[in-house]
């Protein structure tokens, strides 16, 4: 049995709690929540701590708090020589106070309260100071059905940066697609199968092989027609930047 | 029975052929192929025409030729008053020679020979000069298991432009993610579940609601750390452009 205390109950805390709850071999001993109000979406019997001196004994303390709060929260945890981990992609393991056995349990996924997550689709990036703690985090991830990856802080940071491109920026391209559809009275839903297939293509092809479109073909006629259609200057700028990058990559000129 | 002649056997022709072949209510009468060599991936018994005067009678002639070839190919089809359609997102219906009953059968998906396509995931955008032809194209799409959408040339053009953003440009963001992983010895595979979830989130949320990340939060500290990590000037430019666009959209400053 792995005994877990969750510290913070936002997007990640919420999803971790609900994924761990049904497991036989992992127990949520307690949730720390700084607000005195009882957190939403939790059974009333859930043991909640509102102050750090009420924290109970556990095998691992998972801080699912905002990046900015990791240093201060880890300092406030008074227990000594406990395994304390954060779940941040962009924060050094050494941000955690050194009285603890430090570690990272970074789930590379996008969590929102409004959307269910299947944990078998969550790769966990693990970093620890010592080998036994690594094994414990690995077991915890396996109980959740996750794949695990041992990454250094530098590797995790690069991965987090790459995630910003493929998740945050991609979503903004979806937003532009949504705007273009709305302003031309075309249902955005028509684009959803294409959006999913664009992602799924990577099962078989590298992004380099999967690239298609006018910029890759060096088809200036279509590129210019598209630029004429675009009224928004910012969208034009994105269109030009990407078309140039893609054309260059495939040795074409526009 | 709907009798189809396919003109052109590239990415779209290939996938249409293989999707139509098993159907009971649709028959491929013939494939026009300008090369004299027998096309790859076809049963040797398939009726092939290598010149336009060999075209047989059919209910619909689907030109799956490159955009640039649509005008000239449609002129070369000598049969009169036949339903002749193209499959292009960005070409007017009126590019087709006016001796034909003209139409468009635009499959909004990304087709590559290397990757199978499930046609139930292919929305077909239909435009025709007359009502009966619209019904025939609709039936054809339904036999393929596709959803259909009646769109004008202008609407289809906007949709094609939106598709460039959500497909071509998104794929280039995947490419940048791939480069960042490779240069930091992190397996790109770790990003794939995130990439898929980013696309699938749109089942439940609009792109506006689904947005997350440092730029949306106005988290300049993380944005600056990321810019420091990026060595490639072009990647820096993409990062800055998107972060500014996202921050503006959510009323944040970076
Ligand atoms: N969301 C994602 O997609 C995602 C994915 C991977 C990793 N992460 C990482 O996971 C961590 C949590 O992210 P999140 O999205 O779950 O954040 P979130 O939804 O903003 O939740 C943060 C939680 O931390 C608490 N908190 C913040 N500052 C605190 C403080 N000073 N003392 C005590 N509690 C504090 C908040 O309490 P209040 O409710 O009282 O403010 C809230 O419960 C971050 O390190 C993030 O980088 C997030
Ligand atoms: N690929 C996609 O994802 C996609 C998606 C939706 C719509 N479309 C549209 O579908 C159409 C076909 O695209 P594709 O990707 O299948 O193109 P493709 O793979 O390049 O195939 C084009 C086909 O047209 C033939 N062709 C080209 N010029 C010709 C000419 N002058 N006379 C006769 N045949 C000619 C080619 O023959 P050769 O092999 O002899 O060159 C080839 O068989 C285009 O209008 C495109 O915009 C494509």
């Amino acid at each position: 049995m792995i005994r877990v205390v969750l510290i913070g109950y936002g997007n990640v805390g919420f999803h971790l709690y609900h994924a761990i709850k049904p497991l036989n071999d992992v127990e949520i001993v307690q949730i720390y929540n700084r607000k005195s109000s009882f957190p939403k979406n939790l059974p009333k019997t859930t043991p909640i701590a509102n102050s750090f001196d009420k924290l109970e004994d556990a095998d691992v303390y998972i801080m699912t708090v905002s990046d900015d709060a990791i240093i201060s929260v880890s300092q406030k945890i008074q227990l000594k020589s406990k395994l304390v981990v954060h779940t941040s992609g962009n924060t050094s393991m050494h941000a955690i106070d050194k009285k603890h056995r430090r570690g990272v349990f970074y789930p590379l996924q996008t969590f929102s309260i409004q959307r269910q997550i299947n944990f078998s689709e969550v790769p966990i990036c693990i970093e620890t100071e010592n080998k036994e703690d690594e094994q414990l985090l690995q077991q915890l991830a396996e109980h959740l059905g996750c794949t695990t990856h041992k990454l250094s802080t530098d590797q995790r940071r690069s991965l987090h940066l790459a995630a910003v491109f493929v998740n945050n920026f991609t979503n903004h391209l979806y937003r532009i697609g949504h705007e273009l559809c709305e302003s031309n009275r075309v249902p955005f839903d028509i684009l959803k199968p294409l959006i999913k297939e664009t992602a799924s293509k990577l099962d078989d092809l590298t992004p380099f092989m999967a690239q298609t479109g006018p910029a890759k073909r060096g088809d200036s006629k279509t590129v210019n027609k598209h630029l004429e259609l675009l009224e928004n200057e910012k969208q034009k700028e994105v269109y030009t930047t990407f078309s140039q990058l893609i054309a260059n990559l495939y040795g074409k000129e526009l």
Side-chain angles (χ1 to χ4, degrees), chain A residues 9-12 34-35 65-67 69 73 87-88 107 109-111:
Chain A
Y9 190 69
N11 290 308
V12 174
R34 65 170 162 182
K35 293 199 199 89
V65 298
S66 332
D67 289 2
V73 165
T87 58
S88 166
Q109 252 306 356
T110 167
F111 297 92

Side-chain angles (χ1 to χ4, degrees), chain A residues 143-173:
Chain A
H143 286 306
L144 284 163
C146 305
T147 56
T148 59
H149 302 269
K150 226 179 106 176
L151 295 190
S152 68
T153 289
D154 281 350
Q155 286 177 310
R156 181 164 32 83
R157 278 212 172 106
S158 319
L159 194 62
H160 181 257
L161 174 56
V164 168
F165 281 88
V166 304
N167 169 263
N168 300 172
F169 297 169
T170 288
N171 187 72
H172 190 70
L173 288 176

Side-chain angles (χ1 to χ4, degrees), chain A residues 14-15 18 109-119:
Chain A
F14 170 86
H15 284 286
H18 289 277
Q109 252 306 356
T110 167
F111 297 92
S112 311
I113 301 280
Q114 305 97 313
R115 180 151 164 99
Q116 273 212 318
I117 279 283
N118 174 356
F119 268 73

Side-chain angles (χ1 to χ4, degrees), chain A residues 116-128:
Chain A
Q116 273 212 318
I117 279 283
N118 174 356
F119 268 73
S120 70
E121 298 295 329
V122 181
I124 304 276
C125 305
I126 290 177
E127 186 180 2
T128 56

Side-chain angles (χ1 to χ4, degrees), chain A residues 76-228:
Chain A
K76 288 182 198 151
I77 301 174
Q78 294 307 323
L79 306 154
K80 284 216 177 85
S81 304
K82 286 289 180 186
L83 174 57
V84 175
V85 303
H86 70 63
T87 58
S88 166
N90 200 35
T91 309
S92 163
M93 177 169 74
H94 298 99
I96 300 170
D97 193 274
K98 67 176 186 297
K99 68 174 169 287
H100 306 299
R101 281 153 37 214
R102 299 180 278 192
V104 179
F105 191 81
Y106 170 51
L108 186 85
Q109 252 306 356
T110 167
F111 297 92
S112 311
I113 301 280
Q114 305 97 313
R115 180 151 164 99
Q116 273 212 318
I117 279 283
N118 174 356
F119 268 73
S120 70
E121 298 295 329
V122 181
I124 304 276
C125 305
I126 290 177
E127 186 180 2
T128 56
E129 286 184 307
N130 63 64
K131 199 72 197 166
E132 300 87 75
D133 292 333
E134 183 188 312
Q135 278 165 0
L136 186 129
L137 295 182
Q138 221 144 26
Q139 280 166 17
L140 175 59
E142 279 162 21
H143 286 306
L144 284 163
C146 305
T147 56
T148 59
H149 302 269
K150 226 179 106 176
L151 295 190
S152 68
T153 289
D154 281 350
Q155 286 177 310
R156 181 164 32 83
R157 278 212 172 106
S158 319
L159 194 62
H160 181 257
L161 174 56
V164 168
F165 281 88
V166 304
N167 169 263
N168 300 172
F169 297 169
T170 288
N171 187 72
H172 190 70
L173 288 176
Y174 300 163
R175 163 73 189 178
I176 295 179
H178 194 246
E179 284 175 336
L180 290 170
C181 284
E182 297 254 294
S183 55
N184 295 284
R185 291 164 301 108
V186 180
F188 178 64
D189 277 359
I190 308 185
L191 285 173
K192 289 183 183 171
L194 175 66
I195 286 174
K196 285 196 187 160
E197 172 62 14
T198 306
S200 297
K201 251 187 162 173
L202 301 180
D203 290 342
D204 293 336
L205 305 172
T206 63
F208 186 83
M209 290 160 69
Q211 189 67 55
T212 56
K216 184 196 175 179
R217 292 195 303 271
D219 174 356
S220 319
K221 216 171 94 186
T222 301
V223 166
N224 291 333
K225 269 200 222 170
H226 279 164
L227 286 171
E228 272 171 42

Side-chain angles (χ1 to χ4, degrees), chain A residues 33-45:
Chain A
N33 181 41
R34 65 170 162 182
K35 293 199 199 89
S36 58
S37 59
F38 196 85
K40 281 184 203 147
N41 311 307
L42 276 181
K44 286 285 171 245
T45 52

